[in-house]
Amino acid sequence: MDASTQQEIWNIQHELQSIIDELHSISYGLRHEFAGIGSDRCARTVENVAEQYRYVRNRVYNIDESALTEEFIAATGGDASGGGGGHAF
């Protein structure tokens, strides 16, 4: 995998983590700054969304570069070199 592809994956991971952090902040605010019926439910819903982003982030962390198909590599402008562990998509 070339350096620009690795950088793009890092950027995606970083952005996903930023979204997760912001969702946690929103959830915290809902639980602690708003009183009344429904605030806990809203906070739980936001946490569920954060969990979905966490799942995607973990999948991105575990991309198996060696399992990328030549077609995918050609379509994304990457090269076939490099290795890695994790799951193939």
Side-chain angles (χ1 to χ4, degrees), residues 17 19 29 32 41 45-46 50 68 78 80:
Q17 187 60 52
I19 292 168
H32 295 93
R41 185 173 180 177
T45 300
V46 172
L68 297 176

Side-chain angles (χ1 to χ4, degrees), residues 4-5 11 17 20 26 40 42 45 49 62 66 68-69 72 84-85 88-89:
S4 66
T5 303
N11 289 342
Q17 187 60 52
I20 292 165
I26 291 168
D40 278 337
C42 289
T45 300
V49 172
N62 291 314
S66 67
L68 297 176
T69 65
F72 175 80
F89 291 92

